[in-house]
Amino acid sequence: MPDPRARRGIRHPWTALLTAAAAAVLAGAASITAIGEWVADAPQRVLALLGFRPDPLTGLIRPPHATTIRLVLAAADGDALDRAIGHFLQERKTPASGRKIIAVDGKTLRGSRTAKHPAVALIAAMTHSGQVLAQRQIDGKSNEIPAFAPLLDSIDLTGAVITADALHTQHDHATYLHKRGAHYLAVVKRNHPALHESVRRLPWRDVRLDHYERGRAHHRDEIRRLKTATFAHLDYPHARQALQVVRWRRDLGTGKLTIERIYLVTSLPPGAATGSELATWDPRPLAHREPAAPRP
């Protein structure tokens, strides 16, 4: 991480300040004030481990003031910090057997909304086990779509499968992933009416069942059935298969039954993944999300 401060008057190392802020957040600090208080109360041995230098005369470490931390965090390049952390995590990750599955999703930074500024929105790429590989802040005047390719530029996508919600079912995204040597599993909704209608009208009744799953969670019984269909042509770049996922949910309290049909397309060729694997990679796994839950 480059240090943007002028050399004159520097008292604390740049990396120590950033590391201290990160440690404070991991310890539960949710504001600049709380970060400053955590650093001020940190024992001398902790400050030394964070990288702060002791006074040459007294041998004691004087913690930075909360104002110093606030100015440092305001001056830090958020995207550069995300890239640095992403590279660090990719170097540390344990090589996994099988195909690499990466989920792209947006989120709102908790506690970032103020009276004068909207909440900070982020887009992240993470493994399905929850390990974040890259993250970027979304332009307040835009949305996640333009940030998709820049987010993934720093990640080796060769042979990976990228999953995302329907917002990222974009022709440009599919073309980008193909050029990077990756595959996609894209949700198709009615915001792409022609594509949705083409997939919906496939002869699903005649397609054999590839996966069946039943479970109980969140006070409801759930059943999920998955079918895959191969087609010769579909108006979506490099698409090779379509998927239909049907979910039955019965509320254990009210007895109400709901049925939801979801359609997806993937660039994976037939036989490249089993029905169970595709169900595992589904961006909306069984018992994890409500049918129409708004993003936090």
Side-chain angles (χ1 to χ4, degrees):
M1 278 292 296
D3 186 348
R5 300 175 297 175
R7 291 187 178 183
R8 184 177 180 182
I10 290 180
R11 178 176 297 173
H12 303 289
W14 175 250
T15 53
L17 292 166
L18 293 177
T19 305
V25 172
L26 290 173
S31 66
I32 300 296
T33 300
I35 292 173
E37 291 174 350
W38 184 90
V39 176
D41 294 337
Q44 289 286 301
R45 60 180 182 83
V46 172
L47 294 174
L49 289 171
L50 292 174
F52 292 102
R53 295 188 293 257
D55 185 283
L57 297 178
T58 65
L60 297 176
I61 299 175
R62 182 178 178 183
H65 192 272
T67 301
T68 300
I69 295 177
R70 177 177 60 80
L71 293 174
V72 163
L73 295 179
D77 185 334
D79 288 339
L81 180 60
D82 286 335
R83 287 193 297 270
I85 295 174
H87 286 312
F88 170 76
L89 292 174
Q90 291 181 61
E91 290 175 359
R92 281 177 54 89
K93 69 179 181 180
T94 303
S97 58
R99 194 182 293 273
K100 181 165 55 177
I101 313 300
I102 299 174
V104 174
D105 196 14
K107 57 186 176 181
T108 301
L109 189 61
R110 185 179 61 183
S112 61
R113 188 187 306 275
T114 65
K116 296 182 179 180
H117 301 284
V120 175
L122 304 173
I123 183 172
M126 65 194 77
T127 66
H128 275 217
S129 61
Q131 182 182 35
V132 176
L133 303 177
Q135 184 172 267
R136 289 179 64 88
Q137 183 172 337
I138 300 170
D139 188 336
K141 298 181 180 179
S142 184
N143 56 33
E144 298 175 23
I145 295 175
F148 182 86
L151 171 74
L152 297 175
D153 280 341
S154 63
I155 304 175
D156 179 11
L157 301 182
T158 305
V161 176
I162 311 302
T163 69
D165 59 23
L167 179 66
H168 294 292
T169 304
Q170 306 288 334
H171 284 59
D172 289 346
H173 291 1
T175 301
Y176 167 81
L177 293 175
H178 180 75
K179 290 180 179 178
R180 294 288 312 278
H183 292 283
Y184 58 79
L185 185 61
V187 180
V188 179
K189 289 189 175 181
R190 296 184 185 277
N191 56 333
H192 296 279
L195 179 61
H196 182 270
E197 188 66 11
S198 297
V199 176
R200 187 187 69 82
R201 292 177 65 86
L202 291 172
W204 292 110
R205 289 182 179 272
D206 302 326
V207 178
R208 67 178 177 84
L209 186 66
D210 283 327
H211 178 75
Y212 175 90
E213 182 179 358
R214 183 167 189 167
R216 175 174 291 185
H218 305 301
H219 306 290
R220 64 184 182 225
D221 281 327
E222 299 190 7
I223 295 175
R224 180 169 59 173
R225 294 159 54 96
L226 182 145
K227 295 181 177 182
T228 59
T230 307
F231 45 82
H233 174 73
L234 192 67
D235 186 23
Y236 195 75
H238 312 291
R240 298 288 301 277
Q241 297 184 89
L243 288 74
Q244 182 199 60
V245 178
V246 182
R247 291 187 176 94
W248 285 264
R249 293 184 175 91
R250 184 182 301 277
D251 189 285
L252 297 178
T254 64
K256 180 179 179 181
L257 176 67
T258 59
I259 301 175
E260 181 185 25
R261 286 180 175 82
I262 301 170
Y263 299 99
L264 307 95
V265 292
T266 180
S267 59
L268 288 166
T274 66
S276 297
E277 288 175 325
L278 291 170
T280 302
W281 304 340
D282 181 356
R284 294 157 54 95
L286 182 69
H288 281 207
R289 297 189 185 182
E290 296 291 340
R295 177 173 295 157

